[in-house]
Amino acid sequence: MIAKISSGKETAGLIRYLFDTKKAKDHTDPHLIASWDGFAPDPGRSEDADATRRLLVADLDLHVKQARRLGRAPERHVWQCSIRATPEDRILSDEEWADIARRVVSATGIAPDGDPDGCRWVAVRHSPDHIHIAATKVRADLRTARHWNDYLTADRELAAIEKEYGLFQVVRGDRTAAKRPTRAEQEKARRAGQKKTARERLRTTVRTALAAASSMEEFVDLLRHLDGVLVEIVYFPSGDVRGYKVALDDEADGPIWYSGSKLAPDLSLPRIQERLANIEPQPADRPDRRRPNHWHQATAATERIPHHLDQENDQASQAHLAAFGEALDALPLLVPQTLHPQLREAATAFERATRSRIRAEHHHARALRGAVRGMLREPVPRAGAALAMFLDAAILVVIAAARWHQLRHHDQQVAAAQQTLLHLQAAYEQATAAPLAALAQRRPPQQTVDRHIRQIRRAVPDHAEQVIEDAAFDALTATLAAAEAAGHDPGQLLIQAANQRALDDARRPARVLTWRIQRLSERPAPSARARAAQARSGAQHPVPPDHTAAAAPAPLPSSARRR
């Protein structure tokens, strides 16, 4: 159920609208279902509807007129709450809607249960799927009703009603989402031929610039060098920076400025400064030091996020989700043009999953932030394997994020993560085609392939046939052969790769194993003594099932579960 609350100045106008059957086509049978005392006159069931309507207005306005004579009546004395059931809900009876109305006016403070001085109100039903509650805000003791945060209290009460009545449970937010564009903004964008409003376009632009910046000065400089974006820094009288605001310079009526906090809660100046202060500085290049591979660093940091989400430190988990969101914001700057649409949609969707009431402690995610900035400052690897490995790890993060939010009843964030997963999987399909084809061309001799098949049967017996029949099997055998040539034990790598996360929900397990083994084989190969110790340890302590398998959220759609 969804509630919409508003206020007004005229009781008569609202009652006239609620009982109108001529102009309002959906008003099929308007009638009272409940009132403050159970005896209010009902224009919908009266032979003289006009006279009864005037009588009802007079009764509702009684305390308002008394308070007005004392100069204590509020200017906007009318309170209206419309409550609508979802299309999936059954048709409720008048008695059920009456009970819902009483609970809502009690929860919001309009007419608390057991309070004889509560406000006067009526509930009108003129359509099967919704009701309207009309009330005047002056109580019988002539005080104004205390109904602060009435939308939140009504929403909480409706959530309880949904469970008790067995109705569809609406996804509810926690007031951390970015402000939605207004109807006027949407109409203006439509007239200009834009799919998104100026606020939404600026939000995406600012988040992308923030993902690429390492300091506040660099962030502002990046924005100023973007075509079509205007930036203005706001200062205190003391000369200190107070904030910033941005606008698009292609607006027909002149630029409309938005402060960072108006774009999204986490784009205000203090929040940006906090995030930028917790970026791990990249070491300066030295001739005697091997240059770090930032793609591998980012992938390694991303792989660790599901483990962090399993810990009890929610502030650290929130920081890792925020940092991962920045990585998604940066990806469109680094990948081929063909992948931009899906990755931009993924970043936009996951933005909602990066915010909750839990305050992030950003210093926990410095490694990923630093690696992402490093990726933006070096040439993009020509081979698509680096991107494929990152996306493979990113998919696991999104699944774990959905589960993390689900356990904390963050409904909107769960929905956002599930939507992100669909876009990431589409990008993953595109990104992996070329590198897998290149690997398949390096398939080892059949004798080596047969040996790898035996290793696969031992390492993943439940999925062996599915792996062998996978179209990416040739790429997997090439990867195992390359790892073996580098001094790794292919059988041990297979076990480690399978235990990173269960393969039960993988449609293409050979492809998943290929990227995991590539990442594992990039580590230095263990010495002969270390391999012998690993073998003894494995014999004495069999590797347990991977604990991160529980990171997958239960209600993901079937199309989203398959990779």
Side-chain angles (χ1 to χ4, degrees):
M1 287 188 162
I2 299 174
K4 183 179 180 181
I5 297 176
S6 59
S7 61
K9 299 180 180 180
E10 187 184 2
T11 309
L14 174 59
I15 296 301
R16 188 183 311 114
Y17 163 75
L18 294 180
F19 286 92
D20 174 58
T21 57
K22 296 179 180 178
K23 294 182 181 179
K25 301 300 181 183
D26 62 335
H27 295 192
T28 55
D29 180 26
H31 59 282
L32 285 186
I33 58 171
S35 65
W36 71 95
D37 61 357
F39 298 102
D42 183 1
R45 295 291 184 264
S46 172
E47 294 182 1
D48 190 346
D50 291 340
T52 307
R53 188 171 60 246
R54 288 192 294 270
L55 182 60
L56 176 60
V57 170
D59 287 350
L60 286 170
D61 276 345
L62 174 63
H63 300 317
V64 176
K65 292 178 180 179
Q66 292 173 337
R68 187 172 290 148
R69 287 196 294 267
L70 300 175
R72 294 163 56 180
E75 181 182 4
R76 302 181 68 86
H77 65 270
V78 178
W79 185 88
Q80 180 191 4
C81 175
S82 60
I83 305 173
R84 184 178 296 274
T86 63
E88 296 84 358
D89 288 334
R90 60 182 172 84
I91 301 299
L92 299 174
S93 66
D94 281 358
E95 291 74 18
E96 289 174 316
W97 274 120
D99 177 59
I100 292 170
R102 294 187 191 96
R103 292 178 61 169
V104 169
V105 294
S106 176
T108 55
I110 293 296
D113 189 28
D115 184 356
D117 292 330
C119 299
R120 294 192 166 194
W121 62 273
V122 293
V124 180
R125 183 181 189 181
H126 53 219
S127 183
D129 64 346
H130 70 281
I131 63 170
H132 289 264
I133 303 173
T136 48
K137 299 181 184 179
V138 179
R139 295 162 42 86
D141 56 12
L142 303 189
R143 292 186 294 123
T144 302
R146 303 167 72 92
H147 62 97
W148 297 297
N149 288 326
D150 49 10
Y151 174 78
L152 291 179
T153 53
D155 201 49
R156 282 197 292 265
E157 188 65 27
L158 289 177
I161 289 170
E162 288 168 353
K163 293 180 180 179
E164 293 177 24
Y165 277 76
L167 304 176
F168 178 82
Q169 297 184 26
V170 175
V171 174
R172 289 180 161 83
D174 53 7
R175 304 185 77 182
T176 61
K179 184 178 179 181
R180 293 182 179 180
T182 64
R183 178 70 176 269
E185 290 175 323
Q186 293 173 335
E187 290 297 326
K188 184 175 182 180
R190 184 185 59 79
R191 291 193 299 269
Q194 297 287 347
K195 293 182 179 180
K196 295 186 177 181
T197 65
R199 185 196 304 268
E200 292 171 310
R201 291 155 58 197
L202 283 169
R203 184 185 304 141
T204 300
T205 300
V206 171
R207 288 183 67 88
T208 304
L210 179 59
S214 298
S215 64
M216 193 65 198
E217 294 74 17
E218 187 177 9
F219 167 66
V220 174
D221 187 62
L222 287 171
L223 286 177
R224 283 176 171 161
H225 284 83
L226 290 174
D227 292 336
V229 178
L230 304 175
V231 186
E232 183 177 320
I233 304 300
V234 183
Y235 296 92
F236 285 109
S238 63
D240 296 331
V241 176
R242 178 181 179 181
Y244 74 98
K245 53 185 180 179
V246 291
L248 297 175
D249 65 358
D250 60 354
E251 297 285 346
D253 302 330
I256 299 177
W257 295 91
Y258 297 91
S259 65
S261 59
K262 294 296 183 182
L263 296 178
D266 59 340
L267 294 181
S268 65
L269 179 67
R271 300 289 288 275
I272 287 178
Q273 289 174 326
E274 179 185 355
R275 288 163 65 175
L276 293 176
N278 287 285
I279 297 176
E280 189 170 90
Q282 294 297 311
D285 290 340
R286 286 169 39 186
D288 60 338
R289 178 180 294 176
R290 183 180 178 183
R291 186 174 183 178
N293 187 317
H294 298 297
W295 276 91
H296 292 171
Q297 289 179 339
T299 301
T302 301
E303 285 179 320
R304 292 192 292 269
I305 293 178
H307 171 71
H308 294 308
L309 297 182
D310 282 341
Q311 308 306 307
E312 296 181 358
N313 189 337
D314 282 357
Q315 290 76 17
S317 297
Q318 186 67 55
H320 286 291
L321 292 178
F324 177 71
E326 292 178 35
L328 292 184
D329 291 330
L331 275 186
L333 303 175
L334 299 166
V335 301
Q337 189 75 27
T338 55
L339 297 175
H340 284 192
Q342 293 293 350
L343 289 179
R344 288 194 186 281
E345 290 296 330
T348 300
F350 197 75
E351 175 198 10
R352 182 68 189 96
T354 62
R355 289 193 301 273
S356 72
R357 285 288 179 185
I358 300 170
R359 186 64 180 266
E361 294 179 350
H362 290 293
H363 64 275
H364 289 284
R366 296 178 66 188
L368 179 56
R369 283 198 170 91
V372 170
R373 269 62 176 189
M375 289 161 55
L376 292 162
R377 285 162 176 76
E378 66 180 19
V380 180
R382 292 185 178 180
L387 174 61
M389 285 189 283
F390 180 84
L391 291 178
D392 180 67
I395 287 173
L396 296 184
V397 172
V398 176
I399 293 174
R403 177 61 177 171
W404 187 81
H405 282 303
Q406 186 180 62
L407 292 174
R408 286 152 185 81
H409 307 289
H410 300 164
D411 295 339
Q412 288 188 351
Q413 289 87 336
V414 171
Q418 292 175 345
Q419 188 64 34
T420 304
L421 189 59
L422 298 177
H423 293 297
L424 270 186
Q425 286 175 326
Y428 180 72
E429 294 287 342
Q430 290 179 261
T432 56
L436 284 174
L439 282 171
Q441 293 177 356
R442 301 202 295 269
R443 173 189 167 109
Q446 187 60 41
Q447 183 179 0
T448 304
V449 171
D450 292 340
R451 181 159 48 83
H452 290 326
I453 289 176
R454 292 192 294 272
Q455 293 168 332
I456 291 170
R457 293 188 191 280
R458 288 194 297 269
V460 285
D462 295 338
H463 305 281
E465 298 307 319
Q466 191 180 4
V467 170
I468 295 168
E469 295 173 2
D470 193 338
F473 177 68
D474 289 347
L476 174 60
T477 57
T479 301
L480 289 170
E484 188 174 30
H488 292 276
D489 180 352
Q492 190 66 27
L493 287 180
L494 280 166
I495 293 174
Q496 293 176 13
N499 284 332
Q500 284 186 351
R501 187 173 181 275
L503 298 174
D504 297 335
D505 60 352
R507 184 185 59 183
R508 301 279 303 277
R511 182 175 59 178
V512 174
L513 289 173
T514 297
W515 307 129
R516 295 180 187 176
I517 289 171
Q518 277 210 6
R519 293 197 296 275
L520 291 170
S521 63
E522 286 165 358
R523 303 169 184 171
S527 63
R529 179 180 298 178
R531 286 198 298 271
Q534 287 177 355
R536 290 194 300 271
S537 176
Q540 296 174 7
H541 306 285
V543 179
D546 181 31
H547 67 277
T548 58
L556 285 177
S558 58
S559 60
R561 291 199 304 266
R562 298 191 171 274
R563 297 170 45 226

